Amino acid sequence: MIINAGGRTDIAQYFSEWLLRRFEEGYVLVRNPMFPNKVSRYELDPAVVDVVEFCSKNYAPILPCLREITDRFNTHFQYTITAYGRDIEPGVPSLEQSVATLLALEQIVGKRRIIWRYDPVLLTREYTIERHFETFDWLASRLAGHVDRCVFSFVEIYRKLEQNMPELEVMSLEQMDTIASGMGAIARKHGLYLQTCATDLDYSAYGIHGSGCATLEVFGKANDVEFRKLKHRGMRAHCKCFEMRDIGAYDTCPNGCRYCYANQSPELARQNFRLHNPEAPMLLGELGPDDELVQAPQKSLLVPMQLSLDL
């Protein structure tokens, strides 16, 4: 199975002490966001956890102790670095700091395990198409050769986002095509593999590859292991990524990104963050008398004889 350590909140940046403790103790409890009284226990054992997938906007806090996980488990890292400043991503480091941290991460895990995410791409008066091209070119010139690939997506405008970012401009298909064409040209200039995320739009004419950034093929090549041929449904619409089990919790990330889908509000996230106990088996809260604790089914997806990690 695949463990996701960062889909619901930025665990590497804000909960690294908790995460390292969970791997040391060998298990984690996860509350079901749809059915809050149901809690699953996952064993953090290399025999059943084939890959730990990290997603973060700042790996600096976990870097000093990251080998405690990477020495035992296959891993994969998605690192989001965008054009936005603190007006949109209040808790995210500067571009220069983010690039330096990614290069430090590469020294530990190697470039094959790192995907640079430039998403979501959104437009405002401040963040124009031209500004995206300038920033993407600057970042690509520094990150090409240090990551396996770059993934981008266009922002999905949902009701909460309309409230949080009233200045957001609705992109036309023509604008999307212009952005894809420009980013494709920049990626080619720097020798950077570029692909889309969760879309059925085809930009192959610009040298851009189709969606699928967390597939078994990607995980296998990154870690020199082979997975069984398995069909899956994807994680969401137009997504080709393999199903994962997220060990985080919604409404806990203090980054305050205004386009965030995982927080109802920055205030609620900050409030929950203050309630976090790094010694608890759950990222947020404790087991209660009305909770139903179940052992989650877990099994390896690797081809037999590849169950041991070969770093």
Side-chain angles (χ1 to χ4, degrees):
M1 68 170 296
I2 314 298
I3 288 289
N4 188 321
R8 295 173 182 168
T9 191
D10 197 330
I11 293 178
Q13 181 170 3
Y14 292 107
F15 305 100
S16 57
E17 180 184 351
W18 172 83
L19 183 69
L20 292 164
R21 187 183 299 272
R22 298 303 353 117
F23 275 94
E24 180 183 359
E25 296 187 5
Y27 77 98
V28 62
L29 301 186
V30 183
R31 190 175 297 279
N32 189 318
M34 301 299 294
F35 305 96
N37 290 336
K38 295 186 179 298
V39 178
S40 297
R41 172 176 169 135
Y42 294 97
E43 305 304 320
L44 298 179
D45 183 340
V48 291
V49 174
D50 300 310
V51 176
V52 181
E53 168 78 324
F54 288 86
C55 304
S56 179
K57 295 178 180 175
N58 181 12
Y59 285 94
I62 202 172
L63 286 184
C65 301
L66 187 58
R67 291 190 186 276
E68 294 179 19
I69 298 175
T70 59
D71 284 352
R72 297 178 55 220
F73 290 83
N74 295 313
T75 52
H76 191 250
F77 299 82
Q78 306 226 15
Y79 200 145
T80 300
I81 307 177
T82 67
Y84 313 120
R86 293 188 179 274
D87 54 332
I88 292 183
E89 297 177 340
V92 177
S94 69
L95 292 182
E96 292 81 2
Q97 290 173 307
S98 296
V99 168
T101 300
L102 187 147
L103 297 180
L105 175 65
E106 181 201 7
Q107 292 299 309
I108 299 173
V109 305
K111 73 173 188 178
R112 288 193 304 167
R113 297 191 196 181
I114 304 175
I115 286 180
W116 163 34
R117 300 192 67 92
Y118 188 87
D119 70 339
V121 177
L122 56 82
L123 297 179
T124 67
R125 277 188 172 184
E126 182 74 17
Y127 296 97
T128 62
I129 292 177
E130 291 72 22
R131 180 164 177 178
H132 276 294
F133 288 166
E134 290 172 4
T135 309
F136 184 70
D137 187 31
W138 187 89
L139 286 168
S141 69
R142 286 153 178 79
L143 298 181
H146 301 281
V147 297
D148 179 65
R149 66 190 66 192
C150 178
V151 171
F152 78 99
S153 68
F154 296 109
V155 68
E156 295 183 29
I157 299 181
Y158 45 92
R159 184 176 302 175
K160 183 171 62 175
L161 188 56
E162 291 176 345
Q163 298 172 349
N164 293 343
M165 292 194 67
E167 75 273 30
L168 193 66
E169 298 178 8
V170 178
M171 268 186 279
S172 67
L173 289 175
E174 289 75 17
Q175 286 175 311
M176 292 181 183
D177 192 76
T178 297
I179 293 170
S181 174
M183 291 181 64
I186 292 169
R188 287 196 303 276
K189 179 176 73 172
H190 295 290
L192 179 67
Y193 185 106
L194 182 63
Q195 72 177 75
T196 57
C197 175
T199 181
D200 60 349
L201 297 174
D202 183 3
Y203 297 121
S204 57
Y206 307 130
I208 298 173
H209 302 265
S211 301
C213 50
T215 65
L216 295 183
E217 180 183 8
V218 169
F219 293 148
K221 288 182 178 179
N223 292 280
D224 291 323
V225 295
E226 183 180 356
F227 286 89
R228 291 183 277 120
K229 306 298 182 183
L230 299 168
K231 294 182 179 180
H232 62 96
R233 297 169 296 178
M235 300 293 288
R236 54 194 170 103
H238 308 304
C239 176
K240 297 179 181 178
C241 296
F242 197 82
E243 293 97 338
M244 295 176 271
R245 296 295 176 262
D246 200 311
I247 62 173
Y250 292 118
D251 296 311
T252 58
C253 182
N255 267 334
C257 300
R258 295 174 61 202
Y259 53 76
C260 181
Y261 66 88
N263 289 340
Q264 294 183 45
S265 70
E267 294 77 16
L268 178 60
R270 287 193 291 268
Q271 176 183 333
N272 284 334
F273 177 70
R274 289 192 292 269
L275 298 174
H276 168 69
N277 177 5
E279 297 184 0
M282 250 186 302
L283 188 141
L284 181 65
E286 307 279 352
L287 276 177
D290 297 327
D291 287 334
E292 177 187 353
L293 178 62
V294 297
Q295 181 71 47
Q298 296 177 257
K299 62 179 181 180
S300 175
L301 309 176
L302 294 175
V303 171
M305 305 304 295
Q306 300 235 356
L307 297 180
S308 60
L309 184 63
D310 182 15
L311 292 177

